[in-house]
Amino acid sequence: MAQVEKFSYDNAIVRKFAYASIIFGMVGILVGLIAALQLVFPALNLGIPETTFGRIRPLHTNAAIFAFVGNGIFMGVYYSLQRLLKARMFSKALSEFHFWGWQAIILAAAITLPLGITSAKEYAELEWPIDLAIALVWVAFGINMFGTILKRREQHLYVAIWFYIATWVTVTVLHIGNNLELPVSLWKSYPVFAGVQDALIQWWYGHNAVAFFLTTPYLGLMYYFLPKAANRPVYSYKLSIIHFWALIFIYIWAGPHHLLYTSLPDWAQSLGTVFSVMLIAPSWGGMLNGLLTLRGAWDRVRQDPVLKFMVVAVTAYGMATFEGPMLSIKSVNAISHYTDWTIGHVHIGTLGWNGFLTFGILYWMLPRLFNTKLYSQKLANAHFWIGTLGILFYAIPLYWAGWTQSLMWKQFTPDGFLQYGNFLETVTQIIPMYGLRALGGTLYVAGYFVMLYNLVKTVQSGAFIGDEAAEAPPASTWAVHAGKEHWHRWIERRPVQMLIASTIAILIGGIVEIFPMAMIDDQVPRIESVTPYTPLELEGRDIYIREGCLGCHSQMVRPFRSETERYGEYSKSGEFIYDRPFLWGSKRTGPDLHRVGGKYPDSWHYNHMMDPETTSPGSIMPPYPWLLRDELSTKNTAAKIRTLQKLGTPYPDGYDQIAVDDLQKQAKMVAESLRKDGIDAEKLEEKEIIALIAYLQKLGTGIKPAPQAGN
Amino acid sequence: MKNKTLKLILAALPLLLFSADSWGQAAGEAGGNPYFYDSLFSYGMLFLVAAVFIAALAALYNLLNIMVKVQQIRIYQEQGIEAYVEETRKPEQSFFERLYKRMTNVVPVEKEEDILFDHEYDGIRELDNVLPPWWVAMFYITIAFGVVYYTYYHFTGAGPSSTEEYEMEMERAEKAVQAYLSTQANQVDETNVELLADEQALAAGKSIYEGKGTCFTCHGMYGEGGIGPNMTDPYWIHGGGIKDLFKTIKYGVPEKGMIAWKDQLKPAEMQQVASYILSLQGTNPPNPKEPQGELYQQVDNAAPADTSSTEVKQEGEAIGMQ
C-alpha cells in the first residue's frame, strides 16, 4: 500500500441523531401508552380537545415512525455510510441542515397534530407547508448521501447502501405522490384525487411507508450492524442480491391489500393480494441473511445483549412479514380488517423489528462513539427481557381482541339476526384486552427507561470522539475490472445506475395500479343521485377530519351479510367522488358511519357528542363538549368552495359568493330541528356541532333519499 | 422391452386422435343430444391422452434409469469393484436427512473459508453460499400461486367477484334462515301480535327497553319522552294499540329518527318491549314531555289479556301519517 489517505469520520452528527431518536422514541411510546389507556379510561383525555384520542393517535404514529425510527435511520446511515464508503460525510452544512430541519418538522408535527391540523391521510397527516419542508430536508439528505457516495474511497457499494439508495428514491416518490394537494389556506388543503383514487394512492403510500421507511432502511442497518456486532461474515452475497431487487420491486405493488373488499375495483384488490403473497420470500431473504450470519456465533447470543436484541428484531421482522401476506389473503382479511389484529400485527413490526434493532444498535454504537464500554450489561439484559415481555403482553391481547370482536360482528342467530346487533356489545367485550395491552405498553416503556439510564451512564463514563481518524487508499488506486466476476459487481461500482435501476423497479407497480384508476373514468361508475357536499356539510366534514374521527370510525361498508345487515347497503365507489380526502378509515373502534345519514334524529347526534354515554351507555368514545361550545368559523368557506371547484367539484359558477349564506340557511334548519326536540342553546345555529350533524346526516344518503331537513 | 412399449404408445397416439374425431362425428349425425356426446367424448379423450402422456413419462423415466445403470456398470468396469464396495459402505441417510441437506444446501461453518469473497467493507466479509433451495422453492410457489390466483379470478372469469360472493352469501343465508324458520312455531308479526301481561315477559321487555334496544335514550328511562315522544300518556302519533306499537318498532319512522328494529330485535322481543311500553300507560313519571299525536281510545286499558279483540280503532294510518 503505497498510497493511503488520512481522513476522519464525523461522529458528531451521528450522536445528534442518536440523541434525537432516543428522546423522540420515548415521546412516541409515551403518547402511544396514553392513547392505549384512553381506550380503557376515556376520561384520560382530561376533557381537552388537544389530548383526545382522535388527535393524539396520529401524533403517536408520526412520532414513532418519523421521529423515533426516522432519527434512528439517519443515525445508522450517517454512522455506517461513512465507514462503508471510507469517506467523511459530503457536507457538514447539509448534515446540520438535515438534522435541524428534521427536528423542526417533528416540532411542527407535535404542534399541528394536536391542534387538529391534519390532511387525514394515515402517516401523511401533516399539512402542505410541512410537506414542503419534508421534501426539502429529504432532498438535502439525498444530496449529502450521494455526495458522500461520489467521493468514496471504496470502489463497490455494499448491500446496506443499495437499501439506503432504494429507500431514498422511493420515499421521495411516495411523499410527492401522496401529498399532491391544493392549499385552501396556510393550514388547510384538499387532495388532488378524490374518493377511491385517493384511497388507492394513500395506501400505495401508506403500505410503502412501512416498506421503505420502516423496512428497507432498517434492513440496510441490519446488514451493517449485525455482522459488525457478531463479527461474522454475511451468510450469502447471492441472497442479498436476489432479495434486495425482488423486495423493492414487489413491495410497491402490495398497497391495495389495505383496501380488500372495499369499493376499489377487484382487479386492483387482487394485485394487492398476489403481490403480498409473493413478498414472503423476498422479505424472508433479509431475515435469513440476518439469522444465518449468526451461524457460529449463537453461543455469544446467549450473553451479548446487543445480539439478543438483534435476533429478536430479525425474528419479529420474519414473523410480521409472514403474517402480512396471510392478512392479505381476502378470506383472512375479511376477519382481520378493521379489528385490533391489524394493530397487533404492526406493533410486532414496530416494537420488535424497529424498536429492538434500534436498541441493539444504540447499545453497540454509543460506547464506541464515546470510546468506552457499556455501563451495564445486566441492565441491558434486563431491558431485553422487560421489552420482550412488553411486546408479548402488547400483541397477544390484541390478537385475542381482534378475533373476538370480528367473530362477534359476524355472528348470526339461526333466525337470521345479528347475535350482537348493538356494536357496543362487541366493544365492551374486549376492553379487558385493551387493559392488558396497556400493561404491555407500560412494560415496554419501563424497559425504555432502563435503557435511558444505562445509556446516560455509558455516555458519562466515556469521552466523545467527534472526529474519528481513519485511513484508506484513494479512489485512484481502484482496480480496473474486466475479468471474471459476479455480474452484480458491475452495478455496485456505479451508484448512478444503481439509483436509476432502483427507481425503475419501484415505479412499475405504482404505475400499473394507479394509472388506470386515475385516468380511466369508468373505473369509478358514476351515480346520478350523489351530490357534492353543501357548504355546511363540507365544514362539518372538516371538523370530522380535525377531530380524527376516522381513527375509530370507518366509512366503508364491505359486501358482507354481517355488514349490510348492521349498517345498510354496501358502499359503492361512485359514492365517494366528492370525498377529498377519502375517509374510509382503517379501524373500527366504533361502528362504521357510511350509512349513518338519516339513521338517527339530529338531537341524537347532539346528545351523543355532548356525552356519548347518554345515548350509548358504556361507550368508550370521549365526549366532545367543545363542538357544542365553539362557534363554526366560516372564514375559509368561500376559499374551500373555490379550491374544490378548481379540483373539479361541480359547484355552480360564483357559488363561493353565496356559500356562507347557504351555510347559514341550512344551519338554521338543523338548529330548528334540535329545538323541536327540546335542545336549545344561545346561538345554537352558529355552533360547530350543527355542521358536524349536517355532515353525518348526509353520509351514505347519495344512494337513498335524504331525510327532509328539519322534519 | 421398455423401449418397445414406448414406441407402441407413441405410435398409437395419433391413431387415437383420429379415431376420436370420427367417433365424435358419428355421434353428432346419430341425432339425440350432440352436446352430451361432444362433451363425453372430449372428456374421454382428455383422460385417454392424459393417461398416455403419463405412461409415456413413466417409460421415459425407466429409460433414464437404465441408462444411468449402464453408465454405472461402465464406471465399475473401469475402476474395479472397489469403487462399488466403497459406495455401498457409506451410511445410508434417511429421507428427511437427505431432504434437509438438499433443501438447505449450506457450506458448513468450518469450511466457509473456501467460499469467502475477497472483498471487505469496514471489516464486513461476505460468503458465497447459494440461495437456500427451500427459500427458492417457496418463492417459486408463491409466484405460481399469484399467477394461478389472478388467472382464476380475472382472466378466466371463473372466480366470483366481490359482489358475486356477496350475492351468493346472501342467498345461502336466506335459505338457511328459511329452513330454520320452517321448523319453528308460528312467528309473531303485526297482524297477530298480542299484548303480554305476565311479569316475566314485561321484565324481559323492560330489559330490552333499557338495554340493547336503547329505547330510553330517546324516550326516557321511564317512558317520559325526550328526543322521542312521551309514552306514558294516552296520546299517540302512530297509534297506541299493541299492533300499532309493534309495527312502529318493527319498521320505524325513519323520517323522524325512529329507526327500524326488525333487523336487531326478534319478533318476540319486539312483542315484549311493546307490551312493556304499554304497561307504562298512566304511570306519570317526572319531567314528562308534552303530549303529541292524538288521544288513543281503548275500550279497556286495564284488561290487556284480550286487547287484540278490543281495540276500537286506529287513528289514521300509522306510518307516513304526516
Side-chain angles (χ1 to χ4, degrees):
Chain A
M1 285 291 166
Q3 277 180 297
V4 169
E5 281 183 350
K6 288 188 186 302
F7 58 97
S8 66
Y9 298 130
D10 180 4
N11 281 350
I13 188 70
V14 178
R15 177 175 64 169
K16 277 188 182 139
F17 277 119
Y19 285 178
S21 179
I22 294 168
I23 293 166
F24 287 125
M26 194 169 60
V27 174
I29 58 177
L30 275 176
V31 176
L33 182 58
I34 294 169
L37 285 167
Q38 284 184 7
L39 288 177
V40 191
F41 310 107
L44 281 179
N45 73 347
L46 308 173
I48 305 167
E50 286 77 13
T51 54
T52 300
F53 186 88
R55 299 198 193 186
I56 65 168
R57 181 196 174 258
L59 185 67
H60 161 63
T61 53
N62 277 280
I65 299 171
F66 299 108
F68 170 54
V69 176
N71 278 312
I73 293 169
F74 303 138
M75 161 190 86
V77 169
Y78 276 78
Y79 186 89
S80 61
L81 191 73
Q82 300 186 70
R83 285 157 178 83
L84 288 169
L85 297 173
K86 293 271 170 281
R88 193 181 168 87
M89 285 310 296
F90 171 63
S91 157
K92 180 87 187 159
L94 280 176
S95 298
E96 292 293 318
F97 176 74
H98 177 197
F99 176 78
W100 290 109
W102 196 255
Q103 310 318 315
I105 288 163
I106 292 168
L107 186 69
I111 294 171
T112 56
L113 290 174
L115 286 176
I117 296 168
T118 167
S119 65
K121 294 190 147 198
E122 281 183 70
Y123 325 128
E125 285 92 348
L126 302 175
E127 263 299 352
W128 67 274
I130 310 177
D131 287 339
L132 287 178
I134 293 172
L136 195 66
V137 172
W138 190 256
V139 168
F141 166 52
I143 295 172
N144 207 7
M145 180 165 77
F146 272 92
T148 314
I149 291 174
L150 292 179
K151 60 166 211 161
R152 70 194 186 278
R153 293 182 181 81
E154 186 72 62
Q155 190 174 12
H156 293 89
L157 301 180
Y158 175 59
V159 50
I161 297 167
W162 316 343
F163 276 106
Y164 299 158
I165 291 174
T167 299
W168 184 80
V169 66
T170 317
V171 171
T172 309
V173 171
L174 292 169
H175 177 70
I176 295 170
N178 194 37
N179 287 303
L180 293 173
E181 54 211 1
L182 210 54
V184 173
S185 63
L186 182 58
W187 295 116
K188 178 72 197 166
S189 65
Y190 289 123
V192 167
F193 294 101
V196 65
Q197 297 158 345
D198 193 39
L200 179 64
I201 289 168
Q202 155 59 25
W203 285 112
W204 162 75
Y205 166 90
H207 173 72
N208 290 298
V210 174
F212 289 89
F213 210 87
L214 298 177
T215 304
T216 55
Y218 264 55
L219 280 170
L221 298 190
M222 180 198 81
Y223 271 112
Y224 178 80
F225 288 98
L226 193 138
K228 286 294 271 189
N231 197 20
R232 293 274 311 148
V234 171
Y235 173 73
S236 169
Y237 168 67
K238 284 178 185 145
L239 185 58
S240 301
I241 296 167
I242 302 296
H243 105 88
F244 167 75
W245 289 105
L247 191 77
I248 66 166
F249 172 74
I250 295 177
Y251 234 131
I252 210 87
W253 292 76
H257 71 210
H258 290 258
L259 299 169
L260 297 181
Y261 285 117
T262 65
S263 308
L264 186 72
D266 278 349
W267 66 263
Q269 294 186 28
S270 293
L271 281 180
T273 297
V274 299
F275 277 92
S276 302
V277 171
M278 286 189 251
L279 254 179
I280 302 176
S283 302
W284 273 20
M287 174 185 72
L288 290 176
N289 235 355
L291 289 181
L292 293 175
T293 293
L294 292 170
R295 283 186 328 146
W298 283 100
D299 51 323
R300 294 225 315 283
V301 173
R302 234 164 283 154
Q303 286 131 31
D304 187 356
V306 170
L307 290 181
K308 267 187 218 171
F309 273 109
M310 288 180 176
V311 165
V312 170
V314 174
T315 311
Y317 172 66
M319 279 161 57
T321 52
F322 178 73
E323 190 187 13
M326 294 303 113
L327 293 174
S328 306
I329 293 171
K330 284 180 91 172
S331 47
V332 180
N333 193 270
I335 300 167
S336 73
H337 197 49
Y338 294 133
T339 75
D340 288 295
W341 188 350
T342 312
I343 321 295
H345 164 67
V346 295
H347 279 86
I348 293 281
T350 47
L351 299 177
W353 164 241
N354 297 113
F356 269 34
L357 195 63
T358 311
F359 303 154
I361 292 171
L362 285 170
Y363 283 127
W364 183 85
M365 192 188 73
L366 270 191
R368 280 168 175 76
L369 290 184
F370 285 84
N371 194 24
T372 180
K373 277 198 150 59
L374 186 63
Y375 170 70
S376 165
Q377 296 273 327
K378 254 191 184 158
L379 282 179
N381 275 321
H383 176 200
F384 172 78
W385 287 112
I386 300 170
T388 306
L389 214 60
I391 296 175
L392 293 179
F393 265 98
Y394 186 97
I396 294 170
L398 282 192
Y399 284 109
W400 195 261
W403 296 328
T404 305
Q405 194 174 29
S406 189
L407 291 178
M408 289 175 83
W409 286 347
K410 291 172 187 295
Q411 185 63 50
F412 277 91
T413 61
D415 44 349
F417 288 88
L418 285 166
Q419 174 100 48
Y420 306 97
N422 185 352
F423 188 92
L424 199 51
E425 283 179 274
T426 72
V427 178
T428 46
Q429 181 74 26
I430 59 171
I431 287 177
M433 298 298 151
Y434 284 166
L436 277 177
R437 176 261 285 267
L439 174 68
T442 310
L443 285 173
Y444 200 83
V445 170
Y448 204 94
F449 278 105
V450 172
M451 175 183 78
L452 200 62
Y453 174 76
N454 203 355
L455 292 181
V456 167
K457 282 289 183 188
T458 306
V459 166
Q460 282 172 348
S461 74
F464 182 60
I465 311 167
D467 296 301
E468 191 178 324
E471 54 178 43
S476 56
T477 63
W478 288 351
V480 180
H481 289 262
K484 189 171 162 279
E485 58 173 3
H486 193 281
W487 59 270
H488 198 259
R489 298 291 279 171
W490 182 87
I491 203 166
E492 290 167 29
R493 292 192 289 274
R494 292 169 176 80
V496 177
Q497 283 88 333
M498 178 66 100
L499 176 70
I500 294 169
S502 331
T503 311
I504 293 169
I506 60 109
L507 279 179
I508 294 171
I511 290 171
V512 170
E513 288 173 355
I514 295 171
F515 192 76
M517 278 305 298
M519 300 303 159
I520 303 168
D521 270 348
D522 60 356
Q523 291 290 338
V524 184
R526 297 274 148 159
I527 300 171
E528 279 304 310
S529 53
V530 173
T531 54
Y533 295 101
T534 66
L536 186 68
E537 290 156 4
L538 189 66
E539 290 292 354
R541 192 169 198 274
D542 287 338
I543 291 171
Y544 187 97
I545 291 169
R546 183 189 75 196
E547 297 301 336
C549 304
L550 71 155
C552 292
H553 295 281
S554 58
Q555 289 186 13
M556 173 50 61
V557 182
R558 294 176 294 175
F560 303 148
R561 177 184 174 217
S562 57
E563 302 216 344
T564 53
E565 284 291 320
R566 187 185 295 278
Y567 303 117
E569 183 64 22
Y570 65 83
S571 306
K572 316 281 190 294
S573 58
E575 294 183 77
F576 301 101
I577 54 172
Y578 303 121
D579 281 21
R580 289 174 207 274
F582 82 111
L583 296 175
W584 294 358
S586 58
K587 171 73 174 66
R588 283 183 188 151
T589 303
D592 188 276
L593 297 181
H594 189 218
R595 297 282 175 227
V596 83
K599 184 172 178 183
Y600 302 108
D602 294 349
S603 49
W604 187 95
H605 288 293
Y606 189 94
N607 290 333
H608 184 245
M609 290 297 163
M610 183 166 64
D611 181 5
E613 290 232 55
T614 59
T615 50
S616 315
S619 169
I620 53 171
M621 174 166 150
Y624 287 84
W626 55 90
L627 298 179
L628 280 59
R629 190 183 61 217
D630 296 347
E631 278 175 28
L632 180 70
S633 163
T634 54
K635 197 177 68 184
N636 287 329
T637 308
K640 284 178 181 178
I641 298 289
R642 281 194 297 273
T643 307
L644 288 175
Q645 277 175 325
K646 273 182 216 150
L647 292 170
T649 309
Y651 293 113
D653 279 342
Y655 187 67
D656 58 310
Q657 299 300 316
I658 53 168
V660 176
D661 283 349
D662 261 14
L663 180 148
Q664 286 162 349
K665 268 183 222 156
Q666 195 185 353
K668 274 210 183 79
M669 290 201 288
V670 177
E672 231 169 80
S673 96
L674 289 176
R675 289 206 177 93
K676 257 174 72 179
D677 284 340
I679 290 166
D680 206 0
E682 207 181 329
K683 291 188 182 170
L684 182 61
E685 45 279 294
E686 290 174 24
K687 304 294 184 196
E688 288 184 332
I689 183 75
I690 302 291
L692 186 61
I693 291 174
Y695 170 62
L696 291 173
Q697 297 291 25
K698 164 89 167 183
L699 275 178
T701 56
I703 58 166
K704 64 178 183 185
Q708 297 286 303
N711 187 3
Chain B
M1 192 190 73
K2 295 282 177 193
N3 278 349
K4 265 186 204 163
T5 328
L6 183 67
K7 272 182 197 158
L8 211 78
I9 291 167
L10 286 176
L13 228 135
L15 213 75
L16 273 169
L17 281 175
F18 171 74
S19 58
D21 197 37
S22 56
W23 289 346
Q25 275 175 9
E29 282 157 19
N33 187 346
Y35 299 109
F36 173 75
Y37 291 108
D38 268 2
S39 64
L40 185 74
F41 278 112
S42 53
Y43 274 118
M45 275 316 297
L46 204 69
F47 277 117
L48 251 168
V49 170
V52 169
F53 184 68
I54 289 165
L57 277 183
L60 268 176
Y61 177 75
N62 252 317
L63 193 68
L64 217 71
N65 262 347
I66 290 166
M67 281 167 66
V68 169
K69 279 230 173 86
V70 167
Q71 187 71 7
Q72 259 179 345
I73 291 168
R74 224 195 46 175
I75 291 170
Y76 295 144
Q77 276 174 345
E78 277 171 15
Q79 302 187 350
I81 197 72
E82 289 80 14
Y84 173 75
V85 174
E86 187 67 20
E87 185 75 16
T88 49
R89 263 201 206 130
K90 275 187 193 161
E92 185 86 350
Q93 284 180 316
S94 80
F95 172 74
F96 288 107
E97 277 170 330
R98 273 178 293 147
L99 185 71
Y100 180 79
K101 261 214 156 134
R102 255 185 44 203
M103 283 289 123
T104 48
N105 193 14
V106 55
V107 175
V109 176
E110 310 83 59
K111 287 191 188 166
E112 69 186 21
E113 280 294 324
D114 305 344
I115 54 160
L116 205 55
F117 278 105
D118 55 5
H119 59 244
E120 165 273 310
Y121 304 95
D122 196 34
I124 300 174
R125 308 284 300 268
E126 290 180 285
L127 293 169
D128 193 19
N129 270 308
V130 297
L131 305 176
W134 68 268
W135 179 86
V136 177
M138 179 169 75
F139 200 5
Y140 281 136
I141 290 169
T142 58
I143 291 171
F145 167 84
V147 172
V148 171
Y149 183 99
Y150 212 85
T151 308
Y152 177 68
Y153 281 102
H154 298 282
F155 294 139
T156 65
S161 70
S162 298
T163 42
E164 283 163 357
E165 261 180 63
Y166 171 68
E167 280 151 18
M168 291 184 319
E169 185 193 9
M170 293 304 280
E171 224 168 276
R172 267 200 313 275
E174 176 81 33
K175 271 187 202 148
V177 169
Q178 287 310 324
Y180 173 81
L181 289 183
S182 65
T183 67
Q184 300 298 303
N186 283 341
Q187 289 285 306
V188 184
D189 65 29
E190 59 272 24
T191 61
N192 62 12
V193 61
E194 292 185 9
L195 188 67
L196 303 170
D198 61 290
E199 253 170 57
Q200 211 180 342
L202 291 180
K206 184 172 158 64
S207 74
I208 292 165
Y209 186 92
E210 294 170 0
K212 72 171 172 182
T214 64
C215 315
F216 72 96
T217 57
C218 290
H219 296 285
M221 192 50 102
Y222 308 101
E224 72 272 21
I227 295 168
N230 185 338
M231 299 194 297
T232 60
D233 62 26
Y235 292 86
W236 294 91
I237 305 173
H238 303 294
I242 181 70
K243 287 176 180 162
D244 303 320
L245 257 75
F246 189 91
K247 201 169 172 185
T248 309
I249 293 167
K250 185 171 176 183
Y251 299 109
V253 191
E255 64 274 20
K256 293 186 187 164
M258 172 74 187
I259 69 169
W261 287 91
K262 63 180 161 58
D263 295 330
Q264 297 183 48
L265 295 178
K266 297 176 189 182
E269 291 175 327
M270 289 189 282
Q271 183 185 21
Q272 287 163 347
V273 76
S275 301
Y276 169 69
I277 290 167
L278 283 178
S279 77
L280 299 175
Q281 281 289 305
T283 50
N284 288 322
N287 307 319
K289 198 176 181 184
E290 80 287 358
Q292 289 166 288
E294 297 178 32
L295 187 66
Y296 183 80
Q297 295 167 346
Q298 274 176 328
V299 169
D300 191 357
N301 203 29
D306 43 340
T307 317
S308 54
S309 57
T310 55
E311 279 172 22
V312 175
K313 62 168 187 145
Q314 296 176 2
E315 292 286 339
E317 185 46 44
I319 291 172
M321 191 175 63
Q322 291 169 327

